[in-house]
């Protein structure tokens, strides 16, 4: 039996690094929205001894996601989806960030819920930003709309971003959308377990990828120097964690988020405690 792992955002630094880990014993399908970047990723994987299949897929398009999983199923049994596709605040406005990060997550996860084999797993990439936004700014009560009315859900998330001026809304949209990814990966665990599927999210800190470095001069980049581990994370470090979460050795792991941020959040919280004393 051929075991297949699908990696969305597969042309990105984290996606490629993960492909080189899971590709050791799985067939790999790399999905991304840009064919030119996918072509380069396939070449890079081949150079590392990994054979991968490329699929041009926009995760904000449910039909495209369904077609992606259909292609993957044609190669064997889909045992894991590692959903790294997403955008940072520097890559677009608030609607673009919310649609890509939140709606994309809904499409990929709901499609996999219907297509995944028993014993399979999906790992969603959230963010340390999901651990930073105060609870009162996260529209958690509106998150269930994602399973009922995507238009209303999108409108509520964008409304939550209106607490700041328009030029700052993409940053809030990022934190809110990644908070949703974290919430979904926990709140929907029983639904997935009923199908024999595990669901987990991982929250990276500042990772040294092309997308991550776009935020080098923003808040996320500035936090690196003050982290418990004062450096950027490496894509390979994230890849090993993502691959573990998706693999058989993590068979008891579901419905939770793993923060892998070099200690940024721990440092922030401890300094806040000391500062209030």
């Amino acid at each position: 039996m051929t075991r297949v792992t699908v990696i969305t955002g597969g042309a990105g630094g984290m996606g490629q690094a993960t492909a080189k880990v899971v590709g050791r014993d799985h067939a790999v399908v790399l999905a991304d929205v840009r064919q030119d970047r996918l072509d380069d990723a396939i070449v890079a994987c081949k150079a590392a001894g990994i054979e991968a299949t490329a699929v041009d897929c926009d995760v904000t398009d449910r039909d495209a996601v369904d077609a992606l999983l259909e292609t993957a199923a044609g190669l064997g049994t889909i045992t894991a989806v590692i959903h790294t596709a997403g955008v940072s605040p520097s890559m677009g406005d608030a609607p673009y960030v919310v649609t890509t990060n939140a709606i994309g997550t809904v499409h990929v996860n709901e499609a996999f819920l219907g297509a995944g084999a028993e014993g399979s797993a999906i790992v969603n990439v959230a963010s340390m930003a999901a651990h930073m936004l105060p609870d009162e700014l996260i529209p958690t009560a509106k998150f269930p709309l994602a399973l009922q009315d995507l238009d209303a859900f999108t409108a509520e998330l964008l409304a939550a971003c209106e607490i700041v001026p328009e030029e700052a809304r993409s940053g809030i949209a990022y934190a809110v959308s990644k908070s949703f990814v974290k919430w979904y990966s926990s709140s929907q665990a029983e639904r997935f377990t009923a199908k024999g599927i595990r669901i987990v999210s991982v929250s990276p800190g500042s990772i040294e990828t092309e997308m991550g470095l776009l935020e080098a001069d923003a808040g996320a980049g500035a936090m690196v120097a003050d982290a418990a581990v004062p450096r950027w994370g490496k894509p390979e470090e994230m890849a090993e964690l993502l691959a573990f979460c998706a693999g058989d050795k993590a068979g008891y792991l579901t419905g939770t988020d793993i923060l892998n941020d070099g200690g940024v959040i721990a440092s922030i919280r401890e300094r806040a405690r000391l500062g209030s004393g």
Side-chain angles (χ1 to χ4, degrees):
M1 178 189 74
T2 299
R3 292 158 59 87
V4 181
T5 293
V6 176
I7 303 174
T8 68
M14 203 181 303
Q16 288 189 49
T18 304
K20 293 171 184 176
V21 178
V22 299
R24 297 167 189 163
D25 53 12
H26 280 205
V28 177
V29 175
L30 298 183
D32 211 292
V33 75
R34 282 179 52 186
Q35 187 63 51
D36 58 334
R37 288 169 56 88
L38 270 176
D39 292 341
D40 291 342
I42 294 298
V43 171
C45 284
K46 190 169 185 177
I50 304 298
E51 294 292 334
T53 299
V55 176
D56 190 337
C57 175
D58 180 353
V59 297
T60 68
D61 180 344
R62 176 58 188 266
D63 290 339
V65 172
D66 289 338
L68 163 65
L69 294 182
E70 185 176 345
T71 297
L75 300 175
T77 300
I78 306 174
T79 56
V81 170
I82 300 175
H83 179 45
T84 78
V87 295
S88 69
S90 296
M91 296 173 71
D93 60 13
Y96 177 66
V97 171
V98 164
T99 301
T100 304
N101 294 350
I103 302 301
T105 293
V106 174
H107 287 334
V108 171
N109 282 259
E110 292 297 316
F112 184 59
L113 182 60
E118 185 170 351
S120 60
I122 185 163
V123 183
N124 296 306
V125 173
S127 170
M128 70 175 177
H131 295 258
M132 297 175 67
L133 204 61
D135 288 345
E136 58 268 23
L137 298 184
I138 304 172
T140 307
K142 305 299 184 181
F143 285 169
L145 281 171
L147 301 174
Q148 303 160 12
D149 185 333
L150 284 177
D151 289 338
F153 169 68
T154 302
E156 291 290 353
L157 263 60
L158 291 175
C161 300
E162 293 176 359
I163 59 168
V164 297
E166 188 170 351
E167 62 270 17
R169 287 178 191 171
S170 61
I172 295 294
Y174 181 78
V176 167
S177 62
K178 289 300 188 177
S179 295
F180 169 75
V181 175
K182 180 172 172 280
W183 172 87
Y184 181 97
S185 302
S186 174
S187 69
Q188 303 307 302
E190 286 193 13
R191 288 179 63 221
F192 279 74
T193 300
K195 295 288 187 70
I197 301 174
R198 294 187 300 106
I199 178 171
V200 179
S201 63
V202 171
S203 287
S206 296
I207 308 300
E208 198 172 10
T209 62
E210 181 180 349
M211 187 177 89
L213 291 173
L214 288 175
E215 309 303 322
D217 297 325
M223 292 176 188
V224 172
D226 293 329
V229 180
R231 64 170 174 82
W232 288 76
K234 300 175 183 177
E236 294 78 12
E237 291 170 320
M238 286 304 308
E240 292 289 349
L241 177 58
L242 293 170
F244 172 77
C245 290
D248 295 337
K249 292 181 180 179
Y252 197 54
L253 185 69
T254 195
T256 193
D257 178 80
I258 299 174
L259 177 63
N260 190 22
D261 69 339
V264 168
I265 299 301
S267 295
I268 288 173
R269 289 174 178 166
E270 178 62 8
R271 291 173 186 181
R273 184 189 70 81
L274 293 173
S276 65

